[in-house]
Amino acid sequence: MTTTERREAAGRVLEAEELVARLRGGFAGVGVVLPSLRIDPVSFAGDEPVALLDLGRCNLDTALRLSQVLEGKRAGRDG
């Protein structure tokens, strides 16, 4: 990997970290906590790293809350 490619990968990591923080804050604002929310480290393996976010696993209560929030947004309510 060249120096330019390393810089680009580092920039993608930073962007992904910022997005994880934004998502975590947004979910918390509607009462949803996804404890496994993170950058997928495997997505940076290989010759052409791609930043993927892992929304992770959650229990049924969290899935229900997330579903309710999304349904509220779809119906035009504030959630």
Side-chain angles (χ1 to χ4, degrees), residues 42-63:
V42 177
S43 67
F44 285 100
D47 295 333
E48 296 184 34
V50 178
L52 297 177
L53 300 184
D54 185 354
L55 296 179
R57 302 176 338 166
C58 63
N59 63 31
L60 293 179
D61 290 337
T62 301

Side-chain angles (χ1 to χ4, degrees), residues 13-78:
V13 169
L14 181 58
E15 184 179 4
E17 288 172 343
E18 291 170 354
L19 187 51
V20 165
R22 285 177 56 192
L23 286 169
R24 190 169 281 131
F27 282 130
V30 293
V32 175
V33 176
L34 297 177
S36 301
L37 177 62
R38 66 186 180 122
I39 298 172
D40 177 19
V42 177
S43 67
F44 285 100
D47 295 333
E48 296 184 34
V50 178
L52 297 177
L53 300 184
D54 185 354
L55 296 179
R57 302 176 338 166
C58 63
N59 63 31
L60 293 179
D61 290 337
T62 301
L64 176 61
R65 176 68 182 132
L66 183 56
S67 175
Q68 291 169 337
V69 168
L70 292 173
E71 289 166 1
K73 292 291 183 186
R74 192 175 329 130
R77 297 187 303 261
D78 288 337

